[in-house]
Amino acid sequence: DQQVKQNSPSLSVQEGRISILNCDYTNSMFDYFLWYKKYPAEGPTFLISISSIKDKNEDGRFTVFLNKSAKHLSLHIVPSQPGDSAVYFCAASDVNRDDKIIFGKGTRLHILP
Amino acid sequence: EAQVTQNPRYLITVTGKKLTVTCSQNMNHEYMSWYRQDPGLGLRQIYYSMNVEVTDKGDVPEGYKVSRKEKRNFPLILESPSPNQTSLYFCASSLTGPSYEQYFGPGTRLTVT
């Protein structure tokens, strides 16, 4: 049973426009959410995170929105740049219960020139 | 330079031949973790460790062992590798747990024939 779902395997966005990557989760006990970015032949790198007590967190061009009632989070990238082409993983943890982390399957973002 | 190193980066082996993939971090992080990445399945946590001598199972621990005798090292042991363990493996570390930014190693591509 997939607890963290990224339903779009890939997404293409024009350079300069907004990229929106979506993530749904099923476990209402998750209290911390993170986004990681991965380039080919490299390990993932941390991008941005959000605690369940917040509904938005911004870091430069990256903003994560959390809708707890819908069990949904999204990553917005504005404006999209060629270097943003990568695979993006959503992840969630329930740190009050244990120290596991569950990742989604990832979304491949292509930024078109 | 803060980093997580893994060795070897590539390994081809045969079924049943015990192997160890080493992982080391130089950031004095308490939390370390192993993941495997498979096409269409994303990143799945194998084992994690909250501190020296403290390890616990992730989502896919079958067929793997780990140990944490020193804070900086967290080797992954495959006692009797099988073809279904052919995968891309990542080691990661973070300050205190999965809700903090994890730093990933470059990956180890393992093929079991």
Side-chain angles (χ1 to χ4, degrees):
Chain A
D1 176 34
Q2 245 187 295
Q3 295 189 65
V4 177
K5 299 178 189 178
Q6 294 178 257
N7 291 319
S8 300
S10 68
L11 175 69
S12 294
V13 174
Q14 208 77 32
E15 182 180 352
R17 308 292 284 264
I18 182 170
S19 294
I20 301 176
L21 293 92
N22 293 305
C23 179
D24 297 294
Y25 60 96
T26 57
N27 186 346
S28 58
M29 300 305 292
F30 284 144
D31 53 9
Y32 219 87
F33 304 89
L34 307 96
W35 286 92
Y36 285 85
K37 174 180 177 178
K38 186 183 181 303
Y39 292 122
E42 294 183 12
T45 55
F46 171 77
L47 200 52
I48 192 168
S49 63
I50 188 166
S51 155
S52 60
I53 62 172
K54 292 182 154 187
D55 54 19
K56 178 182 170 181
N57 189 26
E58 270 183 271
D59 184 1
R61 296 186 299 115
F62 303 93
T63 303
V64 56
F65 295 92
L66 175 62
N67 182 334
K68 278 183 294 186
S69 59
K71 296 195 188 70
H72 177 83
L73 62 155
S74 60
L75 173 68
H76 292 214
I77 306 174
V78 186
S80 300
Q81 296 176 354
D84 296 330
S85 292
V87 176
Y88 290 78
F89 291 101
C90 170
S93 66
D94 172 9
V95 294
N96 290 318
R97 179 172 162 269
D98 58 31
D99 296 292
K100 282 186 188 179
I101 184 167
I102 308 292
F103 281 81
K105 293 184 179 181
T107 296
R108 184 177 297 278
L109 177 64
H110 301 269
I111 304 301
L112 307 170
Chain B
E1 182 195 348
Q3 61 182 349
V4 177
T5 55
Q6 295 178 229
N7 282 293
R9 295 290 311 278
Y10 302 91
L11 179 60
I12 301 174
T13 189
V14 296
T15 299
K17 187 176 180 186
K18 181 179 177 179
L19 66 92
T20 299
V21 184
T22 65
C23 172
S24 185
Q25 50 95 3
N26 62 1
M27 296 167 277
N28 202 36
H29 284 170
E30 292 184 354
Y31 186 87
M32 296 187 75
S33 185
W34 276 102
Y35 302 88
R36 59 178 290 173
Q37 184 187 8
D38 300 289
L41 295 177
L43 284 165
R44 294 180 294 167
Q45 193 173 35
I46 303 170
Y47 268 95
Y48 61 92
S49 168
M50 287 301 294
N51 214 324
V52 175
E53 302 293 359
V54 180
T55 63
D56 214 337
K57 296 177 182 178
D59 267 355
V60 288
E62 296 77 19
Y64 304 94
K65 282 175 57 174
V66 291
S67 69
R68 186 96 181 269
K69 294 188 171 60
E70 307 164 280
K71 199 170 188 178
R72 63 184 291 126
N73 296 323
F74 191 45
L76 179 70
I77 302 152
L78 285 73
E79 296 264 1
S80 183
S82 63
N84 65 11
Q85 292 178 299
T86 291
S87 188
L88 179 57
Y89 291 87
F90 291 100
C91 180
S93 73
S94 75
L95 196 59
T96 60
S99 60
Y100 284 84
E101 171 185 359
Q102 288 191 69
Y103 292 78
F104 282 78
T108 295
R109 185 165 291 283
L110 172 66
T111 302
V112 183
T113 61

